[in-house]
Amino acid sequence: MPAVIPVKFKYAARDLWFDPAQTDAQEGDHVICSTERGQEIGLVTMDAREVDADTLRDTVGDAPLCAVV
């Protein structure tokens, strides 16, 4: 199952999911993420967790998860 890390941005109404592979960020940490708008800082709202492939596909579609820098 793929792992995701939910991040809250100032402009977003909901948390966005990112690939936590290159970070050990935990809930409450500020992280820099690669987004469609460039690199932005956000707040980790929950520790990294595994989700099933169907939930991931329903949430982000076929787009790959962006990385936490």
Side-chain angles (χ1 to χ4, degrees):
M1 288 195 294
V4 297
I5 190 166
V7 178
K8 175 72 175 158
F9 294 100
K10 190 176 194 177
Y11 65 86
R14 61 181 179 85
D15 294 348
L16 302 178
W17 286 356
F18 289 87
D19 183 5
Q22 298 186 17
T23 185
D24 58 349
Q26 298 177 349
E27 183 177 354
D29 291 345
H30 285 89
V31 292
I32 298 173
C33 300
S34 296
T35 68
E36 292 177 353
R37 298 170 55 157
Q39 290 186 346
E40 298 196 47
I41 191 166
L43 178 67
V44 177
T45 58
M46 194 182 309
D47 291 337
R49 62 188 175 117
E50 291 185 351
V51 296
D52 59 60
D54 292 333
T55 303
L56 182 63
R57 188 174 42 255
D58 290 344
T59 304
V60 297
D62 293 328
L65 288 176
C66 294
V68 172
V69 180

